[in-house]
């Protein structure tokens, strides 16, 4: 019989009711009076003392979890010694799950569980029991507390916190290298049996990995596992409870293990010899090609450094390691020449930069290859004998003199003839020229160092057979100085002498400048062109000289200005000299020698007005002129007013010109044909009865058709005037040749009244409003005049 079977029988035996265990008697509480039961003792007072008999004896209840029966699960029985079996007592249960999870038969005291209980949810329940008299509801036994403890069964399998684990281990690790630890948990009671004792085993991943049964640590099981052969492994680990015995529950997890790289592979060139080609015209720094050594490792373990270790072109070529592609780029270090050498051989080495000492035994972590570079011939441009030329020439050479010669050759085997020319952008003044056949540079214009000391030319050489291939070389021409300029005064001197000057008095210090630049520096000599009785020159021997007076007293009345010729010469060869003339004015000075006046006419001016008074008078005249100008401007900007102002209403604007027209014979005043010929409409004219304030652009209206009636034309013009926003807001009197049919006021013309002998009454004009008051006064006044006459 196995241990599991023994435990199962023991549990079943505990489920069965046993009177000695299930009839539990409660303990009495200290505050209740004891009940007597067998046994006596004598007290101090001599009376017999009866010992209380315990009515309840109490133990824990045990209940197995996960009950699968159809009936309620029996827990135990409560019984009081006060229970006579007549039903007078009532058992009451309270506490955790009382009435729901646990129920009690109030007559018999039997306790049952109403549903399955999971120990993992709750391991024990605390309840209280009491027996009361059914009729009086008074407790016959004190309330007592008891515990129902849930016995565990193996109903939970071990679980891992992660379904999939990810781990890594370096390749080539020794056997037993720890990879990762996995841990499973079991919800069963670890203190009861082996339900929570977990044992680990490997289901998948052998023979590469193993797992420790007790700890769950995964270790390598094979030596020298190579990442280059296999990188990924999947291991399935099982965790089983009951100590791994049969019948235990189990759970699994997956561990993905990656072999990380170590530098266990040296770089290898795929070819022992590599051939490259490059044109001889390739400039320095041109990439010829690349070499690459393969390395089975990855990351920094595959990093390679390239170098040229041997060969006949070590000084002609370089190799640079390209980090991102791990290639060696071969570049040109010096200019190539097909005619000099056509083939170069290099020995290139590739070596790992990060070498693991543990794997030195696998061999040297480097490799070599041979690189052969062939130089290809191209039609090269001419080559000058120098990279630049410097010619020095004196500025006084004659035209056509050769200042130097440049030389160039064709590097190709054909050796084509060369043609030379000057880049005129570097010689805009065309001072120089070059012989196209031999490269001799000569002058075509005079040179002047004082204008330009350096000339930077660019000479172009081209093959006659292939003029497109050209080469340039800089030519620097330095113009050497020749003493061809005479010294002159450094500045213009404004010299004066005081009338009260004494003999030997210094009146001016002069200096000179020279455009030439002699090697020994400038040296000037000063002297007078002729003996002067009034002034003399004293050379200071430092390229300056002093002008001194030779006599006392000078008068502006006699001579106001003196001219003093001074000869300035240099000491270079040939000697150059010039004569500069100083203008010396005679001035009135104060006692300290400060000049006051140098004008001779100033002595004749009256002394009545001072300079300040003259300035004040001038300022007054300017102010008066400004006031006159402002007044004229204000007058011009005054607001313009209408020519005619009405006495009563500014808009009742009847204009009287006091000019009798010439009648129908007068054709100059108004062109009446305009009204009768609508096609001859002119632009609107400005009103002449007021001064126009703003000039509005007249609006040209379309001309009426030839067959339009004059009446429609006049109505159209009236409508346009009424709606025209630029028309002035005045009621003006317009004259038309056509009056219309009639009006309410009838005709106002005096033409008809002149034909009748009777006088007309115009009093009704006063009833038409203020606009007709002026007419009423004019015509009404005529009647009164007649009466008085």
């Amino acid at each position: 019989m196995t241990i599991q079977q023994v435990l199962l029988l023991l549990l079943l035996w505990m489920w069965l009711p046993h009177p000695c265990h299930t009839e539990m008697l409660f303990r009495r509480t200290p505050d209740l009076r004891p009940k007597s039961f067998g046994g006596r003792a004598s007290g101090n007072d001599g009376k017999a003392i009866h010992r209380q008999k315990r009515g309840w004896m109490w133990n824990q209840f045990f209940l197995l979890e996960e009950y699968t029966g159809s009936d309620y699960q029996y827990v135990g029985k409560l019984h009081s010694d006060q229970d006579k079996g007549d039903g007078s007592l009532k058992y009451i249960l309270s506490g955790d799950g009382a009435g729901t999870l646990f129920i009690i038969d109030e007559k018999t005291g039997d306790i049952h569980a109403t549903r399955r209980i999971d120990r993992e949810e709750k391991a024990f329940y605390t309840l209280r029991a009491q027996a009361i008299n059914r009729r009086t509801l008074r407790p016959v036994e004190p309330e007592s507390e008891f515990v129902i403890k849930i016995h565990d069964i193996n109903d939970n399998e071990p679980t891992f916190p992660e379904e999939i684990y990810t781990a890594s281990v370096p390749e080539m690790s020794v056997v037993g290298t720890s990879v990762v630890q996995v841990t499973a948990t079991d919800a069963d009671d670890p203190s009861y049996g082996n339900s929570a004792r977990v044992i680990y085993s490997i289901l998948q991943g052998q023979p590469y990995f193993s797992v420790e049964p007790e700890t769950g640590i995964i270790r390598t099981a094979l030596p020298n596992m190579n990442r280059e052969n296999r990188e990924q492994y999947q291991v399935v680990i099982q965790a089983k409870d009951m100590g791994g015995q049969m019948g235990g529950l189990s759970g699994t997890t997956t561990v993905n293990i990656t072999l990380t790289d170590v530098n266990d592979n040296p770089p290898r060139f795929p070819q022992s010899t590599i051939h490259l080609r490059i044109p001889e015209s390739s400039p320095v720094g041109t990439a010829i090609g690349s070499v690459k050594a393969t390395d089975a490792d990855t990351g920094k373990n595959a990093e390679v450094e390239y170098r040229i270790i041997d060969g006949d072109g070590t000084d002609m070529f370089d190799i640079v390691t390209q980090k991102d592609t791990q290639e060696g780029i071969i570049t040109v270090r010096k200019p190539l020449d097909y005619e000099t050498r056509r083939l170069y051989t290099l020995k290139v080495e590739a070596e790992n930069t990060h070498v693991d000492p543990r794997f030195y035994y696998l061999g040297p972590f480097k490799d070599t290859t041979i690189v052969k570079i062939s130089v290809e011939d191209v039609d090269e441009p001419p080559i000058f004998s120098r990279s630049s030329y410097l010619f020095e020439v004196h500025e006084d050479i004659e035209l056509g003199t050769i200042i130097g010669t440049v030389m160039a050759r064709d590097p190709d085997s054909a050796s084509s003839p060369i043609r030379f020319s000057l880049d005129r952008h570097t010689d805009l003044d065309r001072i120089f020229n070059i012989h196209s056949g031999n490269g001799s540079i000569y002058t075509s214009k005079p040179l002047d160092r004082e204008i330009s000391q350096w000339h930077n030319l660019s000479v172009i050489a081209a093959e006659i057979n292939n003029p497109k291939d050209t080469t340039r070389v800089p030519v620097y021409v330095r113009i050497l100085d020749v003493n061809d300029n005479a010294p002159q005064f450094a500045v213009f001197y404004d010299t004066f002498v005081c009338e009260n000057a004494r003999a030997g008095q210094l009146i001016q210090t002069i200096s000179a400048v020279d455009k030439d630049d002699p090697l020994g520096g400038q040296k000037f000599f000063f002297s007078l062109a002729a003996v002067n009785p009034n002034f003399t020159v004293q050379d200071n021997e430092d390229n300056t000289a002093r002008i001194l007076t030779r006599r006392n007293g000078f008068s502006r009345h006699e001579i106001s200005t003196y001219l003093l010729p001074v000869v300035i010469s240099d000491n270079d060869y040939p000697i150059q000299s010039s004569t500069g003339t100083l203008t010396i004015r005679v001035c009135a000075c104060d006692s300290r020698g400060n000049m006051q006046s140098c004008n001779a006419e100033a002595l004749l001016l009256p002394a009545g007005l001072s300079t300040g008074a003259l300035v004040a008078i001038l300022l007054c005249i300017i102010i008066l002129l400004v006031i006159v100008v402002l007044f004229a401007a204000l007058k011009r900007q005054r607001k313009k007013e209408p020519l005619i102002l009405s006495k009563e209403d500014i808009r009742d604007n009847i204009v009287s010109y006091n000019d009798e027209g010439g009648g129908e014979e007068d054709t100059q005043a108004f062109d009446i044909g305009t009204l009768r010929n609508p096609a001859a409409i002119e632009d609107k004219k400005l009103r002449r009865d007021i001064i126009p304030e703003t000039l509005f652009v007249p609006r040209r209206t379309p001309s009426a058709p030839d067959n339009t009636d004059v009446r429609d034309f006049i109505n159209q013009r009236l409508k346009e005037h009424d709606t025209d926003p630029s028309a002035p807001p005045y009621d003006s009197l317009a004259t038309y040749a056509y009056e219309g049919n009639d009006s309410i006021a009838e005709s106002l013309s005096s033409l008809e009244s002149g034909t009748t002998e009777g006088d007309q009454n115009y009093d009704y004009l006063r009833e038409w409003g203020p606009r007709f008051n002026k007419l009423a006064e004019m015509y009404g006044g005529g009647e009164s005049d007649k009466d008085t006459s």
Side-chain angles (χ1 to χ4, degrees), residues 13 126 257 305 384:
W13 179 80
T126 303
I257 301 176
E305 187 72 26
F384 283 94

Side-chain angles (χ1 to χ4, degrees), residues 460-511:
I460 304 172
E463 297 180 11
I464 295 179
N465 298 331
N466 187 11
K468 293 184 179 180
D469 288 338
T470 61
T471 304
R472 293 173 177 265
V473 68
V475 177
Y476 307 106
V477 181
R478 181 182 179 184
I479 309 301
L480 301 179
D481 184 42
V482 174
N483 192 23
D484 57 348
N485 292 279
Q488 298 175 349
F489 282 132
V491 295
F492 173 77
Y493 295 101
D494 184 12
T495 307
F496 70 93
V497 62
C498 295
E499 289 182 315
N500 56 357
R502 298 180 180 181
Q505 183 175 342
L506 174 65
I507 62 173
Q508 184 70 59
T509 301
I510 59 176
S511 63

Side-chain angles (χ1 to χ4, degrees), residues 119 144 194 223 247 268 295 400 570 581 591 612 614 715 725 766 770 777:
R119 189 202 66 84
S144 183
N194 292 326
R268 290 289 181 263
D295 194 322
D570 56 24
T581 301
S591 59
L614 294 175
N715 290 334
R766 300 183 183 276
E777 291 177 2

Side-chain angles (χ1 to χ4, degrees), residues 332-531:
V332 179
R333 185 177 182 181
K334 292 182 179 180
L336 303 174
D337 188 5
Y338 173 82
E339 288 72 25
T340 303
R341 187 161 193 166
R342 304 181 182 183
L343 181 64
Y344 294 90
T345 301
L346 304 176
K347 187 176 183 179
V348 178
E349 179 185 75
E351 183 179 10
N352 281 138
T353 56
H354 303 280
V355 180
D356 194 336
R358 296 177 300 170
F359 304 106
Y360 279 152
Y361 67 92
L362 296 177
F365 286 83
K366 56 186 176 181
D367 193 17
T368 59
T369 187
I370 301 299
V371 179
K372 294 185 177 182
I373 302 175
S374 299
V375 180
E376 297 178 343
D377 186 27
V378 296
D379 189 5
E380 299 177 90
I383 298 177
F384 283 94
S385 59
R386 301 179 190 174
S387 59
S388 63
Y389 292 87
L390 173 62
F391 300 135
E392 294 183 346
V393 59
H394 287 90
E395 60 179 328
D396 61 344
I397 62 172
E398 298 179 358
L399 295 180
T401 303
I402 296 177
I403 63 173
T405 302
V406 297
M407 292 182 291
R409 64 178 180 86
D410 183 10
D412 297 324
S413 57
S415 185
S416 299
I418 307 300
R419 180 185 180 89
F420 299 93
S421 62
L422 274 176
D423 185 356
R424 289 304 176 184
H425 292 90
T426 60
D427 185 26
L428 297 176
D429 296 331
R430 296 182 176 268
I431 300 176
F432 301 94
N433 211 336
I434 189 170
H435 193 283
S436 61
N438 57 20
S440 299
I441 301 175
Y442 57 90
T443 59
S444 59
K445 288 184 179 181
L447 303 178
D448 191 350
R449 190 202 67 87
E450 287 71 37
I451 296 177
S452 179
Q453 186 176 357
W454 286 91
H455 295 274
N456 301 324
L457 308 178
S458 179
V459 177
I460 304 172
E463 297 180 11
I464 295 179
N465 298 331
N466 187 11
K468 293 184 179 180
D469 288 338
T470 61
T471 304
R472 293 173 177 265
V473 68
V475 177
Y476 307 106
V477 181
R478 181 182 179 184
I479 309 301
L480 301 179
D481 184 42
V482 174
N483 192 23
D484 57 348
N485 292 279
Q488 298 175 349
F489 282 132
V491 295
F492 173 77
Y493 295 101
D494 184 12
T495 307
F496 70 93
V497 62
C498 295
E499 289 182 315
N500 56 357
R502 298 180 180 181
Q505 183 175 342
L506 174 65
I507 62 173
Q508 184 70 59
T509 301
I510 59 176
S511 63
V513 293
D514 194 336
K515 295 180 180 179
D516 296 323
D517 187 15
L519 297 177
Q522 301 282 3
K523 180 63 177 177
F524 304 122
F525 300 95
F526 300 89
S527 62
L528 292 179
V531 178

Side-chain angles (χ1 to χ4, degrees), residues 62 87 144 210 260 275 309 314 368 402 414 438 466 490 624 670 725 759 768:
F62 294 94
S144 183
S210 63
T260 58
H275 295 274
I309 60 174
T314 55
T368 59
I402 296 177
N438 57 20
N466 187 11
L624 289 175
F670 182 74
D759 295 330
W768 288 1

Side-chain angles (χ1 to χ4, degrees), residues 138-444:
R138 296 183 64 184
V140 297
E141 295 289 345
E143 186 180 60
S144 183
E145 186 177 88
F146 66 96
V147 175
I148 299 177
K149 187 174 182 181
I150 310 301
H151 269 305
D152 181 49
I153 64 173
N154 190 18
D155 59 343
N156 291 280
E157 71 277 1
T159 59
F160 290 92
E162 300 288 340
E163 294 183 1
I164 298 177
Y165 289 85
T166 301
S168 62
V169 63
E171 63 173 334
M172 308 298 291
S173 297
V174 297
V175 176
T177 302
S178 175
V179 180
V180 69
Q181 183 179 14
V182 294
T183 304
T185 58
D186 196 317
D188 293 326
D189 189 0
S191 64
Y192 181 74
N194 292 326
S195 299
R197 184 188 174 195
V198 178
I199 297 298
Y200 301 94
S201 61
I202 186 168
L203 300 182
Q204 177 183 330
Q206 294 175 330
Y208 307 103
F209 299 94
S210 63
V211 64
E212 293 183 357
E214 298 292 339
T215 61
I217 298 176
I218 301 175
R219 299 182 182 275
T220 58
L222 283 181
N224 299 329
M225 286 192 293
N226 198 338
R227 184 198 65 84
E228 289 72 33
N229 296 332
R230 184 178 177 181
E231 185 177 3
Q232 298 289 337
Y233 295 87
Q234 190 175 72
V235 179
V236 178
I237 302 297
Q238 181 191 63
K240 190 174 183 180
D241 58 13
M242 298 300 292
Q245 297 181 6
M246 185 179 297
L249 303 177
S250 63
T252 60
T253 188
T254 300
V255 182
N256 293 325
I257 301 176
T258 303
L259 294 183
T260 58
D261 185 59
V262 296
N263 192 6
D264 58 340
N265 294 279
R268 290 289 181 263
F269 282 105
Q271 298 174 347
S272 60
T273 304
I274 299 174
H275 295 274
L276 298 175
R277 294 180 179 274
I278 183 172
E280 62 173 335
S281 59
S282 300
V284 174
T286 302
I288 305 173
S290 63
V291 295
K292 185 174 183 179
T294 60
D295 194 322
D297 297 322
T298 60
K300 69 175 184 178
N301 297 320
E303 292 182 0
V304 178
E305 187 72 26
Y306 296 91
R307 63 179 63 91
I308 299 174
I309 60 174
D310 197 5
D312 54 10
T314 55
D315 60 335
M316 300 295 294
F317 303 95
D318 280 331
I319 189 168
V320 180
T321 303
Q322 196 77 20
K323 296 297 183 181
D324 53 348
T325 61
Q326 289 299 303
E327 294 180 334
I329 309 300
I330 300 176
T331 59
V332 179
R333 185 177 182 181
K334 292 182 179 180
L336 303 174
D337 188 5
Y338 173 82
E339 288 72 25
T340 303
R341 187 161 193 166
R342 304 181 182 183
L343 181 64
Y344 294 90
T345 301
L346 304 176
K347 187 176 183 179
V348 178
E349 179 185 75
E351 183 179 10
N352 281 138
T353 56
H354 303 280
V355 180
D356 194 336
R358 296 177 300 170
F359 304 106
Y360 279 152
Y361 67 92
L362 296 177
F365 286 83
K366 56 186 176 181
D367 193 17
T368 59
T369 187
I370 301 299
V371 179
K372 294 185 177 182
I373 302 175
S374 299
V375 180
E376 297 178 343
D377 186 27
V378 296
D379 189 5
E380 299 177 90
I383 298 177
F384 283 94
S385 59
R386 301 179 190 174
S387 59
S388 63
Y389 292 87
L390 173 62
F391 300 135
E392 294 183 346
V393 59
H394 287 90
E395 60 179 328
D396 61 344
I397 62 172
E398 298 179 358
L399 295 180
T401 303
I402 296 177
I403 63 173
T405 302
V406 297
M407 292 182 291
R409 64 178 180 86
D410 183 10
D412 297 324
S413 57
S415 185
S416 299
I418 307 300
R419 180 185 180 89
F420 299 93
S421 62
L422 274 176
D423 185 356
R424 289 304 176 184
H425 292 90
T426 60
D427 185 26
L428 297 176
D429 296 331
R430 296 182 176 268
I431 300 176
F432 301 94
N433 211 336
I434 189 170
H435 193 283
S436 61
N438 57 20
S440 299
I441 301 175
Y442 57 90
T443 59
S444 59

